[in-house]
Amino acid sequence: MNILFVCTDNFTRSVVAEFCLKHYIKENNIDSIKVASAGVRANSDTSKYSSIHFDRMKELNIDTSSFKRTPFKHEFFEHYDFIIAMGIEHKKYLEETYGKKIHLFNEILLGEETSLVVPPPDKDGKYLLEINKMVDTLHEAMPLFVVKLKELQVKRKLKSIDFSNLKTEVVSLVLDDMLQHIGSTDGELRDEHIYTTFGKLILGDYLTSDQMTSILRICLSKEYLFYEIGEINRDSGFKRAFSSLVITLILIKDKQQSFLSTETVRETMNLVISYMQQEKDVRGYVDGKGWAHAIAHGADLLDAVVNHPSFSIVKAREILNVIGNSLLCNDIYIDDEDERLTVPVVSLLQKGISEETIIDWLISLFKETHDGLQLNDFRKRTNLSNFFKTLYFHFLFKNSGAMIRQTIENLLKNKQGTVITSL
């Protein structure tokens, strides 16, 4: 990946970005990134410009011995994978002059259409502080910047896939990239590109049985489905939630053409149940990062398990218990989690579980929550009430589960003890 930073004179901002990134990739033995810088007027007189930033980089042990100002040229568009402007004025100038879209540094790093600003010289010393601050900021930003660059590269790759002429070697590279970034905090990359591409590849017969089996084993591992399991409100939740979606796709595909071994399916089902017992991150949509939705995705996964030909009705109670465990959390669901959690219950009835089994389970959930007076008890009752109502109409629309519907009516109308108060 070839990177070019651009500013006005190729003396301050783009130079600091270049050498901070060179320092980072050298310190971390990254040989896949090459970096340079240029200026839109790199032939200007800089003899009176301050060199404070070079002094600060020297203090940080950043080698700038290869510094050389370079005028921007049209052929750079062919040589560099990403041309990155340090300021909005540089981006606007290059796009208007050459008619090509380029990226803004803060756009990549922060998702903001803002400039990295160099303060004007002054007499009271603020210039020194601000320039040093700029160098330190760029130096410290490079680990995250490299992550964002790689994500941008993956996004570009996925957008360019031609499914009408997809080559084997391209598939292998894309799979590695998608698995590496499946837990990205970039919602667009994670949801619109990685998950969508996995869906097309798995369900569209682009992958071999061995490839899908390998992907399944990776996604079921401690580094994916069980990565930091039990933690809440952390970015690791994205990796777990989207690993579960890929597992769902593979189980759906195996239902269609049966390529997984009996032992692999059995192990997958057990791990799925174990995962849902341990998942505590109940976030739906996360501002700035997109959908986490681990519980909703987990419900989809449970439904794929129930609808798999190898599913045994003996495991029905385990499925119901993990659904109940998800419902009785201390947060109120607001992003249709209750709707998604009803689906595997409906599927269980269709698979042959008795209405009596589901009724016993519903009553046990009601008894567990109906008389608590704490805030968490109220939240559990709210989730359960919403779940009961959604389940009721699921069965009503399908004209099935008459006994279950009657039980739900009785529970919601219950006059003994505390009624579910969210009605």
Side-chain angles (χ1 to χ4, degrees):
M1 178 164 44
N2 294 321
I3 308 300
L4 182 74
F5 294 110
V6 181
C7 69
T8 305
D9 300 291
N10 192 209
F11 187 76
T12 307
R13 286 173 283 184
S14 62
V15 173
V16 174
E18 173 191 354
F19 286 108
C20 283
L21 182 52
K22 281 182 174 177
H23 178 76
Y24 177 77
I25 62 180
K26 180 180 179 181
E27 290 290 306
N28 291 274
N29 298 313
I30 300 172
D31 56 12
S32 59
I33 298 176
K34 307 299 180 185
V35 58
S37 65
V40 295
R41 61 175 195 196
N43 55 356
S44 60
D45 181 9
T46 59
S47 60
K48 295 182 179 180
Y49 285 16
S50 170
S51 60
I52 291 172
H53 50 296
F54 285 101
D55 297 335
R56 180 55 183 159
M57 285 191 283
K58 184 177 180 180
E59 291 173 358
L60 295 170
N61 296 316
I62 297 173
D63 180 16
T64 62
S65 60
S66 62
F67 167 64
K68 180 182 178 182
R69 295 172 71 202
T70 304
F72 187 87
K73 300 176 182 177
H74 183 272
E75 52 261 36
F76 287 166
F77 286 104
E78 300 299 324
H79 180 72
Y80 292 98
D81 298 300
F82 294 102
I83 295 177
I84 301 167
M86 305 308 293
I88 293 175
E89 67 275 21
H90 312 123
K91 183 177 189 292
K92 182 179 180 182
Y93 171 80
L94 292 174
E95 289 182 346
E96 290 180 352
T97 302
Y98 298 101
K100 295 180 182 291
K101 291 289 184 181
I102 65 169
H103 297 278
L104 195 61
F105 183 87
N106 281 347
E107 174 193 356
I108 296 174
L109 182 67
L110 306 172
E112 299 176 354
E113 289 283 334
T114 57
S115 298
L116 188 73
V117 179
V118 177
D122 58 23
K123 295 181 180 180
D124 56 12
K126 289 184 179 179
Y127 179 72
L128 171 62
L129 293 175
E130 289 299 321
I131 287 293
N132 285 344
K133 180 180 178 182
M134 182 198 72
V135 175
D136 291 346
T137 297
L138 286 171
H139 176 57
E140 294 166 5
M142 286 307 154
L144 178 59
F145 185 74
V146 168
V147 171
K148 295 295 185 180
L149 267 180
K150 290 181 178 178
E151 290 180 343
L152 192 59
Q153 185 182 42
V154 173
K155 196 180 295 186
R156 181 181 288 183
K157 283 183 184 178
L158 297 182
K159 286 180 178 179
S160 67
I161 291 177
D162 180 4
F163 284 93
S164 66
N165 185 30
L166 195 54
K167 297 180 180 179
T168 303
E169 59 271 20
V170 173
V171 171
S172 297
L173 290 173
V174 164
L175 289 177
D176 289 342
D177 285 336
M178 292 196 298
L179 286 169
Q180 183 179 349
H181 295 280
I182 196 170
S184 168
T185 56
D186 183 332
E188 180 188 354
L189 172 62
R190 189 181 64 248
D191 204 338
E192 297 179 25
H193 296 294
I194 291 178
Y195 171 60
T196 300
T197 303
F198 264 125
K200 291 178 179 178
L201 291 174
I202 292 170
L203 301 180
D205 295 323
Y206 292 99
L207 303 182
T208 66
S209 297
D210 287 344
Q211 284 175 317
M212 288 188 285
T213 302
S214 175
I215 293 168
L216 176 64
R217 293 196 179 282
I218 291 171
C219 288
L220 285 168
S221 71
K222 291 181 180 179
E223 290 74 31
Y224 283 79
L225 189 63
F226 291 90
Y227 179 59
E228 295 187 0
I229 190 69
E231 297 289 342
I232 61 172
N233 301 331
R234 295 182 62 174
D235 290 342
S236 55
F238 295 112
K239 193 171 191 179
R240 296 194 302 273
F242 279 78
S243 295
S244 74
L245 285 178
V246 176
I247 297 167
T248 298
L249 290 170
I250 293 174
L251 286 177
I252 291 171
K253 188 64 177 179
D254 188 61
K255 178 184 177 182
Q256 297 172 356
Q257 65 183 43
S258 186
F259 58 89
L260 297 173
S261 69
T262 301
E263 177 60 24
T264 297
V265 173
R266 184 192 66 79
E267 180 185 7
T268 298
M269 291 183 176
N270 288 336
L271 287 172
V272 167
I273 292 172
S274 175
Y275 162 68
M276 284 299 287
Q277 288 171 334
Q278 299 177 66
E279 182 58 81
K280 304 301 180 186
D281 194 331
V282 298
R283 293 174 297 169
Y285 189 83
V286 181
D287 288 341
K289 298 180 180 179
W291 291 102
H293 236 188
I295 299 302
H297 294 176
D300 298 343
L301 181 52
L302 288 173
D303 190 56
V305 166
V306 171
N307 281 292
H308 193 277
S310 298
F311 177 75
S312 171
I313 206 71
V314 174
K315 283 195 168 291
R317 192 72 202 199
E318 289 183 71
I319 299 291
L320 291 174
N321 286 342
V322 296
I323 294 172
N325 182 63
S326 297
L327 286 167
L328 302 182
C329 71
N330 295 328
D331 293 271
I332 295 176
Y333 290 124
I334 59 172
D335 289 314
D336 286 337
E337 290 85 356
D338 54 311
E339 171 77 26
R340 303 276 273 274
L341 285 166
T342 62
V343 176
V345 179
V346 174
S347 294
L348 281 171
L349 186 65
Q350 294 172 339
K351 290 283 282 194
I353 187 177
S354 67
E355 287 196 54
E356 288 81 4
T357 299
I358 295 178
I359 288 170
D360 288 344
W361 173 67
L362 294 174
I363 292 173
S364 69
L365 289 176
F366 177 75
K367 288 181 177 179
E368 191 170 340
T369 62
H370 85 288
D371 58 358
L373 300 177
Q374 301 301 313
L375 177 61
N376 287 342
D377 298 312
F378 168 78
R379 290 172 173 170
K380 291 175 182 178
R381 285 196 295 271
T382 298
N383 286 338
L384 198 59
S385 174
N386 291 335
F387 174 80
F388 279 3
K389 296 170 189 174
T390 306
L391 186 63
Y392 179 92
F393 283 103
H394 258 300
F395 285 126
L396 181 64
F397 294 153
K398 291 178 179 294
N399 194 28
S400 63
M403 293 170 56
I404 295 173
R405 299 202 312 269
Q406 186 59 57
T407 299
I408 291 174
E409 286 187 35
N410 294 339
L411 291 174
L412 294 177
K413 293 176 182 177
N414 191 290
K415 302 300 183 182
Q416 299 177 358
T418 303
V419 179
I420 297 182
T421 56
S422 58
L423 284 173

